[in-house]
Amino acid sequence: MCSSDLSILDKFVAKVPTVEEFEEKLSKYTKMSEDIWATPKDKDVDFIRVSARSLVGSVRDEAIGWVQAIGKVMNDLDVARVNELKALMEEKNKGLHVVPATLEDLKIVLNIVSWIRQSGMQMELDYLDTEERFRTRTLFNIAMDDEQVKAAHSIRQQWADLVVEAEKVDDSLDRKSTRLNSSHPRYL
């Protein structure tokens, strides 16, 4: 791709496109490559035969190049998002397992439990969007690393496990909360 093509792609990415916008672009260029390939490559005009095979091939290759370039950009964005979501959940999981020695430690852990409870809908939207983005690239035969695909599809289960773990921690903290509150100077 030339530099003007890359700047067009950069402008598209700068708009933070949704999966639907990516799919629209991928569909457009895939259809273009199929349509151009389906057109007759030779045309008889009176006694002259005009051959457009190389032109048709070049246009088709350019359209396929756009599909691959858009798919690569989409993949790069999605892999970064998967890594971001996984790191966030790992951070929250680690925070859940801090043993609260003080009332402040307990507040930190309870805030994490509260965040997990409140973030359920947003996380569901995030992992569903991520799964759809990977499905879209599969639909258009865009090469992806198998490990990245597994990581993307594991977010749903990782989130479910984190929610269960937060509930377990919350239940176990009820006893510690009572003990910490009763030993706090304000309650003595």
Side-chain angles (χ1 to χ4, degrees):
M1 299 195 100
C2 67
S3 63
S4 64
D5 293 346
L6 292 176
S7 73
I8 291 168
L9 204 50
D10 287 342
K11 286 178 188 177
F12 175 67
V13 171
K15 293 189 297 186
V16 189
T18 63
V19 67
E20 291 84 9
E21 291 169 319
F22 271 112
E23 189 168 354
E24 181 182 313
K25 292 281 188 198
L26 291 168
S27 291
K28 173 185 170 183
Y29 289 110
T30 298
K31 182 170 178 5
M32 183 185 299
S33 74
E34 291 167 354
D35 289 349
I36 196 72
W37 194 248
T39 60
K41 280 102 180 138
D42 296 324
K43 172 94 172 151
D44 291 329
V45 181
D46 292 331
F47 60 91
I48 300 173
R49 176 166 282 207
V50 178
S51 179
R53 287 183 188 278
S54 64
L55 176 61
V56 167
S58 293
V59 172
R60 179 177 176 243
D61 290 347
E62 186 69 19
I64 290 171
W66 274 101
V67 169
Q68 294 303 316
I70 292 167
K72 182 183 178 334
V73 166
M74 186 180 188
N75 188 62
D76 293 347
L77 292 173
D78 295 344
V79 167
R81 182 66 178 146
V82 165
N83 291 338
E84 182 183 310
L85 289 172
K86 288 183 106 26
L88 175 67
M89 288 188 288
E90 287 169 12
E91 174 190 327
K92 297 300 181 186
N93 192 32
K94 185 178 176 184
L96 280 176
H97 293 94
V98 169
V99 178
T102 67
L103 191 56
E104 286 305 311
D105 291 344
L106 178 63
K107 286 180 185 179
I108 290 169
V109 174
L110 289 173
N111 281 335
I112 292 171
V113 170
S114 175
W115 181 89
I116 291 170
R117 286 180 176 155
Q118 293 172 359
S119 300
M121 182 63 72
Q122 184 58 51
M123 283 301 293
E124 184 175 349
L125 291 172
D126 286 345
Y127 69 67
L128 288 173
D129 181 61
T130 301
E131 289 171 0
E132 181 63 17
R133 287 171 171 270
F134 277 80
R135 186 197 68 78
T136 298
R137 284 198 305 285
T138 300
L139 246 150
F140 289 96
N141 297 319
I142 295 169
M144 294 179 283
D145 182 77
D146 288 341
E147 291 302 313
Q148 293 170 348
V149 174
K150 287 178 187 174
H153 290 291
S154 72
I155 292 173
R156 180 188 299 239
Q157 187 59 51
Q158 188 176 354
W159 175 252
D161 293 345
L162 185 62
V163 169
V164 168
E165 190 63 25
E167 292 305 320
K168 286 179 184 175
V169 168
D170 188 41
D171 289 344
S172 74
L173 288 178
D174 283 342
R175 293 183 298 277
K176 290 180 184 177
S177 172
T178 305
R179 191 169 24 104
L180 283 173
N181 281 337
S182 63
S183 66
H184 193 275
R186 184 171 61 182
Y187 295 104
L188 296 176

